[in-house]
Amino acid sequence: MSKVVKAKYTSEAEQGFTHRTALEEAARCLLCHDAPCSKGCPAGTNPGRFIRAIRFRNPKGAAEIIRENNVFGGSCARVCPYDNLCEKACSRTGIDRPIEIGKLQRYAIEQEKAFKMKTLKAPAKKKAGKIACVGAGPASLACAAELAKAGYKVTVFEREEKAGGMLTYGIVPSRLPQAVVDHDIAMLKGLGIKIELGKKVTEKDLKDFDAVFVGTGLWGTKLPDIPGTDLKGVYTAVDFLKKATEKKEKFNFGKKVVVVGGGDVTTDCAVTAKLLGAEDVRIVYRRTLEEAPGNINEFHYALSLGIGITTNMAPASLEGKGKLSVANFKGRDGKSALSLNCDCIVFAIGQRPEELKAVSNLKTDEKGFVKANAKGKVASNIFSAGDIVNGGKTVVEAVADGKEAAKAIVAYLEKKGVK
């Protein structure tokens, strides 16, 4: 494997704005009084305000606005589906094209990092309440940040060796560099949040907390019910991306790779395989590309790397003597068939929750998803939000749900007299 290929795996695929181009783009903003772009952000990041700050050469003010409203401002600037949210709502769309809000947000956070700005500060006065957050993904850490800003003592328990959840272990670095996630989390720690890594939480660990938030995400494996899924070389998307993150170029998965699915995780897996040295990578999806839930720009990027895309084909069976050698697919029309020689197949067809025995009174449905109300309340002093509740949506929606759950926790503690 060449050094160039290794470098590309950890290098961003798209460059951000320079100081000059950021000012030029911000100058295109119409400075709308009602700022429809701000209304289009689930997490309330408020692009209307931070773009105005950039336009008037105040990058610190822009970073403070972003960080105060969205603690994962850096990560969301890379992975948020802007074209369907704030940019879709941009008034400039009716004139020519929307403001590139995502790249302006990225610019502001890059300025924050470059000049070592302190945009989040712990409150001087602490409250008596103690809250535990189980999991260190976007929803859990967003909840923890809001509670810390309110003055409460927050401890986050994470079983992995790094915080960030799927941001760390489930997205290809060319789309979201680990340094960006690490910077977001470093800013969070400035609020006084305690994060215990490599800690598989038990019921005993949680007994002394006034409230518990569960944001463990979707880490359970999900494979189709077809013959051959027990063969070596068969992966779920979560396992594949996690191993790639940990092993990088030492991850030996083969030269011919098939990825099944049609979402952003699908393209992440395919791009990961290609950038780590696979010679032949192909995405196979059971519907048309127009019906695929993934961002079309990510599919274009995959195509630019030489990754093939086959549609209207669903997995039928896998063949091999102990190790995968052939993947068979059946056509949507009921007549077509496809067989592909491959060393590895990755199923990016969704994840499911893992059972969490440490939290008593955690109500779940038949699929294992937590049953919480709109504000994140589960039962008694138990709260939950993010993918484990909504089934797996966007990072910005996980942040929004975590913030909403934090409000409910504060209201609960105040009602109980814990201040």
Side-chain angles (χ1 to χ4, degrees):
M1 191 181 297
S2 69
K3 291 183 179 179
V4 175
V5 172
K6 291 180 185 177
K8 284 183 178 178
Y9 174 67
T10 54
S11 300
E12 281 195 90
E14 185 179 358
Q15 296 301 307
F17 282 138
T18 63
H19 182 63
R20 178 174 178 174
T21 54
L23 291 176
E24 288 174 350
E25 185 64 14
R28 294 180 57 242
C29 180
L30 299 175
L31 302 178
C32 305
H33 177 69
D34 59 344
C37 59
S38 291
K39 296 176 183 177
C41 177
T45 310
N46 207 339
R49 284 189 63 211
F50 77 69
I51 293 172
R52 183 187 293 266
I54 294 172
R55 180 167 177 164
F56 291 104
R57 300 173 183 269
N58 181 14
K60 185 174 189 296
E64 287 174 341
I65 292 165
I66 294 165
R67 195 64 76 181
E68 182 66 24
N69 293 301
N70 183 351
V71 291
F72 276 103
S75 298
C76 283
R78 269 74 170 185
V79 301
C80 191
Y82 290 97
D83 52 343
N84 288 321
L85 296 171
C86 55
E87 289 183 7
K88 184 177 181 179
C90 177
S91 297
R92 188 91 199 189
T93 304
I95 301 173
D96 47 16
R97 59 184 175 83
I99 304 299
E100 292 190 67
I101 297 171
K103 289 182 75 172
L104 285 174
Q105 180 170 320
R106 171 178 167 175
Y107 164 77
I109 297 300
E110 285 175 342
Q111 294 297 299
E112 173 194 61
K113 183 178 181 181
F115 292 97
K116 299 180 180 179
M117 301 175 188
K118 300 296 182 183
T119 51
L120 286 178
K121 296 180 181 178
K125 188 177 180 181
K126 295 289 185 181
K127 296 180 180 178
K130 296 192 304 179
I131 302 99
C133 292
V134 183
S140 191
L141 289 178
C143 178
E146 294 303 306
L147 292 167
K149 286 191 287 186
Y152 292 99
K153 298 173 185 175
V154 185
T155 301
V156 178
F157 296 99
E158 171 56 53
R159 71 176 181 182
E160 302 295 341
E161 296 303 318
K162 289 182 73 79
M166 286 296 177
L167 296 178
T168 293
Y169 293 103
I171 300 178
V172 62
S174 62
R175 189 154 72 99
L176 177 61
Q178 187 58 43
V180 175
V181 182
D182 291 343
H183 176 62
D184 281 346
I185 293 169
M187 298 302 292
L188 276 166
K189 289 180 178 178
L191 292 171
I193 298 169
K194 182 181 179 183
I195 302 178
E196 292 194 18
L197 299 172
K199 173 69 175 180
K200 192 169 183 179
V201 71
T202 66
E203 193 167 2
K204 184 179 179 181
D205 294 320
L206 303 175
K207 67 182 181 65
D208 293 328
F209 288 94
D210 299 295
V212 174
F213 174 85
V214 179
T216 50
L218 306 179
W219 292 90
T221 57
K222 190 174 182 181
L223 292 168
D225 186 17
I226 60 173
T229 55
D230 58 339
L231 292 170
K232 185 179 180 181
V234 178
Y235 295 89
T236 62
V238 170
D239 289 338
F240 184 80
L241 291 170
K242 189 169 184 288
K243 285 185 178 180
T245 299
E246 294 170 340
K247 296 184 177 181
K248 297 182 174 62
E249 67 272 11
K250 295 180 181 179
F251 184 21
N252 183 19
F253 49 81
K255 295 298 182 183
K256 294 184 177 181
V257 179
V258 174
V259 183
V260 179
D264 288 340
V265 176
T266 302
T267 51
D268 277 345
C269 291
V271 168
T272 293
K274 190 69 174 180
L275 296 183
L276 284 179
E279 295 173 356
D280 183 5
V281 183
R282 178 168 296 276
I283 293 171
V284 181
Y285 181 50
R286 63 194 176 101
R287 296 193 176 99
T288 65
L289 201 57
E290 289 78 11
E291 294 173 283
N295 188 305
I296 194 64
N297 292 327
E298 298 303 323
F299 283 111
H300 287 163
Y301 177 54
L303 288 168
S304 75
L305 294 175
I307 295 169
I309 301 177
T310 300
T311 57
N312 293 309
M313 287 286 175
S317 65
L318 305 177
E319 299 176 20
K321 295 182 179 179
K323 188 179 187 308
L324 175 69
S325 58
V326 178
N328 299 309
F329 297 84
K330 58 184 178 181
R332 192 178 185 181
D333 59 7
K335 300 177 181 179
S336 306
L338 173 69
S339 291
L340 297 172
N341 293 329
C342 56
D343 306 306
C344 166
I345 189 167
V346 183
F347 288 100
I349 55 175
Q351 293 88 242
R352 62 178 178 80
E354 292 182 321
E355 186 178 2
L356 187 64
K357 297 179 180 180
V359 182
S360 56
N361 298 323
L362 191 65
K363 300 176 181 178
T364 59
D365 63 18
E366 64 279 1
K367 294 182 179 180
F369 293 102
V370 175
K371 294 194 289 185
N373 65 20
K375 294 183 178 181
K377 183 76 177 287
V378 178
S380 183
N381 66 335
I382 309 298
F383 300 79
S384 185
D387 289 355
I388 198 171
V389 174
N390 63 36
K393 292 184 179 180
T394 63
V395 175
V396 73
E397 286 173 297
V399 171
D401 291 349
K403 289 172 63 178
E404 197 63 31
K407 292 178 185 177
I409 292 172
V410 170
Y412 164 79
L413 293 176
E414 290 180 346
K415 187 175 180 181
K416 294 281 290 184
V418 181
K419 298 180 181 180

